[in-house]
Amino acid sequence: MTTTDSPLVLGIETSCDETGVGIVRGRRLLANAVASSMDQHAVFGGVIPEIAARAHLEAMTPTIEEALRTAGVRLQDLDAIAVTAGPGLAGALMVGVSAAKALALATGKPLYAVNHLVAHVSVGLLDPDDDGAPTLIAEDGSLVPGLGALLVSGGHTEILAVREIAEDVEMLGSTIDDAAGEAYDKVARLLGLGYPGGPVIDRAAAEGDPKAFRFPRGLAAGKYMGSAEAPGPHRYDFSFSGLKTAVARVVEAFEAEGQEVPVADVAASFQESVADVITSKAMLAAREHGLSTLLLGGGVAANSRLRALAAQRCTENGIRLVVPPLSLCTDNGAMVAALGSRLVSVGAQPTGLEFTAEPGLPVATVSMPAAALQA
Ligand code: KG4
Ligand code: ZN
């Protein structure tokens, strides 16, 4: 029986290097099991898709079992299954999609193929935990009006406008080259700091001067940006390749002179550039699109400077900032289950078994339509 009020939903996430299986009942989080293959990618300084896919395959069954055990439920108790269908790495996505189809086929439960980015936002639908983490649900159960999301991770960097989470989500801006987390990883390598780059640069930056070097803010001026009256084509978009090159030039210049690279100052100045451009573009998009609540998600939400500057600028602009607990900011299955639960509650049509993983799934496709409904 499907309880539309508080459906029991299992969510599977395998779009990058985390194998995530989450279980929610309505808006209550019951389990969030995650296995990461990050250690296996460390020697390469970035995620290797084939290694990630193989690791998902090995971790899938144990992670599903762990989630069921933690939640204290059985597969046959579920009301629905949800899985990330995209965007993400093709081979990695395929593992989660195949597992979800197998479970749906074996149990006869409805299957929802959902969008990874919208799933990131959906953690805000879950009931607040004991620490009182904020929620995106108003007292009457509806989504807060004027909701936006700023997603910053190793795989993506986007500003979204979320009008109705189950069906109306718009991409306002995204990166045109590297994701912010990738820029962290590449700059950490230039500075000899190891992988993943985010936490090590964050730590090094704490000892440095963020004003030591003035690094570029990508796409923050000129014709790509335009004006409020005549917006340019990349007004809310990001680019981090110029920043990465600028850091490389500085490092090379010190090395050419035989001088020690001031690692802490470079890290702090790089971090300032990333946090500044991300938050100023998010504020601009928020002002121009009437966004009054902003959810910060993705692994880079762990960054101390990004959090501080986002908090400061949101306060200055009268915007409520929502930062979920870090375990729900990084890739996980609970966010997929949370979105699945919402889809069941609003009576959305399940996808069924006739679909394939879509590495470039657009954000407007919150959940893939059933084959019979596809044109
Ligand atoms: O969301 P996430 O777990 O998934 C992927 O994109 O795969 O994000 C991981 C990213 C990595 O690039 C990592 O360097 C970054 O989040 N990250 C940070 C910090 N902690 C993790 N970036 C900046 N500062 C941090 N403290
Ligand atoms: Zn993600």
Side-chain angles (χ1 to χ4, degrees):
M1 190 188 73
T2 300
T3 8
T4 47
D5 277 355
S6 50
L8 184 67
V9 181
L10 178 141
I12 298 180
E13 155 63 37
T14 63
S15 69
C16 190
D17 58 343
E18 268 92 26
T19 312
V21 181
I23 299 177
V24 303
R25 190 186 296 280
R27 288 165 39 205
R28 198 149 63 85
L29 178 62
L30 301 183
N32 184 21
V34 179
S36 174
S37 60
M38 187 192 287
D39 291 351
Q40 297 179 50
H41 306 289
V43 281
F44 304 101
V47 175
I48 306 296
E50 291 78 5
I51 294 177
R54 175 168 284 274
H56 286 308
L57 211 49
E58 285 165 6
M60 195 77 251
T61 304
T63 311
I64 292 172
E65 285 168 351
E66 185 192 332
L68 290 168
R69 210 167 37 241
T70 307
V73 301
R74 298 165 307 168
L75 279 177
Q76 56 266 43
D77 300 331
L78 298 174
D79 291 308
I81 296 163
V83 63
T84 298
L89 304 170
L93 288 166
M94 233 177 272
V95 178
V97 165
S98 305
K101 284 184 183 178
L103 287 182
L105 193 63
T107 58
K109 307 294 178 184
L111 177 59
Y112 293 82
V114 308
N115 190 295
H116 176 82
L117 302 179
V118 185
H120 266 298
V121 186
S122 303
V123 294
L125 302 174
L126 293 170
D127 284 336
D129 61 12
D130 296 339
D131 305 334
T135 167
L136 303 181
I137 296 291
E139 291 214 338
D140 65 356
S142 63
L143 194 71
V144 294
L147 175 62
L150 175 58
L151 305 179
V152 194
S153 82
H156 37 86
T157 308
E158 296 94 10
I159 305 171
L160 309 180
V162 186
R163 290 180 204 98
E164 177 41 70
I165 199 155
E167 60 191 29
D168 186 359
V169 183
E170 184 191 353
M171 175 90 76
L172 298 180
S174 64
T175 178
I176 62 165
D177 39 56
D178 291 341
E182 261 178 304
Y184 265 92
D185 293 338
K186 288 176 180 171
V187 165
R189 191 156 34 166
L190 281 171
L191 295 174
L193 292 176
Y195 176 86
V200 279
I201 289 194
D202 206 352
R203 273 198 298 278
E207 311 292 322
D209 175 7
K211 295 204 177 83
F213 302 94
R214 173 76 197 175
F215 287 130
R217 273 68 169 156
L219 301 177
K223 65 174 190 252
Y224 293 121
M225 182 82 177
S227 63
E229 298 73 38
H234 294 302
R235 189 162 179 77
Y236 312 128
D237 288 337
F238 305 104
S239 166
F240 297 104
S241 66
L243 169 61
K244 188 187 60 193
T245 307
V247 173
R249 293 287 164 275
V250 165
V251 171
E252 281 161 19
F254 277 97
E255 286 171 350
E257 297 288 320
Q259 289 178 20
E260 200 178 320
V261 178
V263 171
D265 283 349
V266 174
S269 303
F270 161 78
Q271 178 152 291
E272 191 61 25
S273 168
V274 174
D276 178 32
V277 76
I278 288 179
T279 52
S280 52
K281 289 223 171 194
M283 293 304 110
L284 186 69
R287 278 199 304 275
E288 295 181 355
H289 288 266
L291 308 177
S292 49
T293 295
L294 190 69
L295 175 130
L296 181 62
V300 184
N303 186 259
S304 59
R305 185 58 185 145
L306 181 63
R307 289 171 88 105
L309 206 51
Q312 180 195 324
R313 289 183 172 169
C314 279
T315 303
E316 286 164 6
N317 286 278
I319 294 167
R320 176 174 159 246
L321 180 67
V322 173
V323 189
L326 204 59
S327 59
L328 295 175
C329 282
T330 50
D331 288 348
N332 66 84
M335 66 187 198
V336 180
L339 178 53
S341 169
R342 180 78 178 183
L343 290 163
V344 173
S345 296
V346 302
Q349 180 86 6
T351 309
L353 299 174
E354 299 292 309
F355 72 96
T356 50
E358 223 178 274
L361 189 68
V363 76
T365 307
V366 174
S367 82
M368 289 169 87
L373 299 177
Q374 287 170 24

